Amino acid sequence: MTFILDNFIRGMGMKIIFTDSYDQMSRRAANIISAQIILHPQTVLGLATGTTPIGTYQQLINWYEKGDLDFSQVITFNLDEYYGLSGEHPQSYRYFMDTYLFNQININKKNIHIPNGMTSDIDAECAGYDQAIEDAGGIDLQLLGIGRNGHIGFNEPGSSYEKLTHLVTLTENTIQANARLFAKKEEVPTKALTMGMKSIMHAKRILLIANGPAKIQILNQALYGSITPEVPASILQLHPDLTVIASQK
Ligand code: GLP
């Protein structure tokens, strides 16, 4: 009985859309984000970095340039930032977001939130970040990518489901995967500040995007396997409003 009930509850709020290309995936994701902004101009978005969302951001920029989208009242919170990198560092997530989205739309810079990787007081930075999310009324729509080991944000396998924003030590697997974006592997920071699994699960809606065959196996494990901290994204099966858009090619 427990098993049947468990399977019934799991995935009840989940919609999965498969696409044939990265462009289609990006367009679908941008459609959902833009609908959210059009219906609720003061919406609070949770945003992600990584190579996967770049096309989604580009599509949003295109619609903004056509006059179809207005970001002037949108509030954003990014999932994570490398610890020890300033916003001017080209591999920082702040720099990434400025380059691929913020500098190209009419967002009010005061409405942008990204953890400060250069903080000298980690606890205060994390508590302040959680408070700012709460003060904004919580995240309406959280965009997520997925790491090859199932991490979301920088919540690595084994992370507690109970955490809000906190400092994490990156796994070798993640450092290796992200090294392609740095000149040398040694330059990849070993720590990061990330919203926790609890922060992510508190979002009212979640939109997870995954690109290409390299992500299919971990995605299957996350969406249909056991719910376990060893596959951080598996907790999303319990979210009441999860949309997954995956490009198979
Ligand atoms: C980083 C980010 C994650 C992202 C992941 C996957 O580790 N912290 O938020 O989902 O990379 O990146 P990519 O989209 O490049 O595969």
Side-chain angles (χ1 to χ4, degrees):
M1 181 60 192
T2 315
F3 177 75
I4 295 168
L5 192 64
D6 180 46
N7 272 316
F8 178 67
I9 292 168
R10 277 165 56 170
M12 255 193 9
M14 185 157 79
K15 285 177 225 74
I16 307 182
I17 300 165
F18 286 105
T19 68
D20 286 333
S21 70
Y22 177 72
D23 283 352
Q24 276 179 32
M25 179 205 77
S26 303
R27 205 178 159 85
R28 286 285 194 122
N31 258 311
I32 292 172
I33 297 169
S34 65
Q36 176 76 27
I37 296 170
I38 290 165
L39 290 172
H40 308 282
Q42 299 180 14
T43 205
V44 181
L45 295 179
L47 297 178
T49 52
T51 48
T52 311
I54 292 176
T56 303
Y57 294 151
Q58 187 54 53
Q59 181 64 75
L60 292 173
I61 293 165
N62 294 349
W63 286 332
Y64 161 70
E65 286 172 347
K66 283 189 181 154
D68 291 341
L69 270 181
D70 173 17
F71 290 85
S72 61
Q73 297 179 75
V74 171
I75 297 173
T76 64
F77 286 91
N78 262 80
L79 281 167
D80 45 13
E81 178 60 284
Y82 286 116
Y83 181 60
L85 294 194
S86 81
E88 283 84 50
H89 190 290
Q91 302 306 335
S92 72
Y93 284 166
R94 171 74 210 209
Y95 193 94
F96 174 100
M97 289 306 302
D98 284 345
T99 307
Y100 289 108
L101 184 64
F102 298 146
N103 287 347
Q104 303 188 61
I105 56 174
N106 68 334
I107 191 160
N108 182 340
K109 302 276 179 217
K110 280 192 246 146
N111 289 343
I112 296 172
H113 304 82
I114 301 183
N116 174 13
M118 296 301 283
T119 182
S120 55
D121 187 339
I122 294 165
D123 289 346
E125 175 65 24
C126 293
Y129 205 69
D130 296 333
Q131 190 60 52
I133 294 174
E134 203 179 312
D135 292 347
I139 291 172
D140 294 311
L141 176 61
Q142 175 68 56
L143 179 65
L144 293 178
I146 182 166
R148 292 178 202 187
N149 60 5
H151 74 239
I152 46 179
F154 267 134
N155 294 281
E156 297 281 31
S159 302
S160 156
Y161 285 150
E162 285 306 313
K163 293 223 167 135
L164 293 171
T165 307
H166 62 294
L167 181 75
V168 290
T169 300
L170 304 178
T171 60
E172 185 54 32
N173 181 307
T174 298
I175 293 173
Q176 197 75 47
N178 290 357
R180 70 203 142 109
L181 306 168
F182 288 78
K184 289 191 277 187
K185 188 185 150 209
E186 292 66 43
E187 287 179 14
V188 185
T190 56
K191 291 182 190 296
L193 296 170
T194 185
M195 278 187 206
M197 302 297 295
K198 195 171 183 174
S199 331
I200 293 169
M201 287 300 281
H202 276 165
K204 292 168 196 120
R205 298 172 69 199
I206 295 183
L207 174 58
L208 172 69
I209 52 177
N211 180 39
K215 295 285 173 74
I216 292 294
Q217 195 191 340
I218 191 65
L219 199 60
N220 271 329
Q221 232 179 307
L223 301 180
Y224 303 113
S226 312
I227 298 173
T228 163
E230 291 316 311
V231 181
S234 62
I235 187 80
L236 299 176
Q237 293 178 37
L238 297 177
H239 194 279
D241 191 339
L242 168 68
T243 302
V244 179
I245 307 179
S247 164
Q248 290 166 300
K249 288 184 193 154

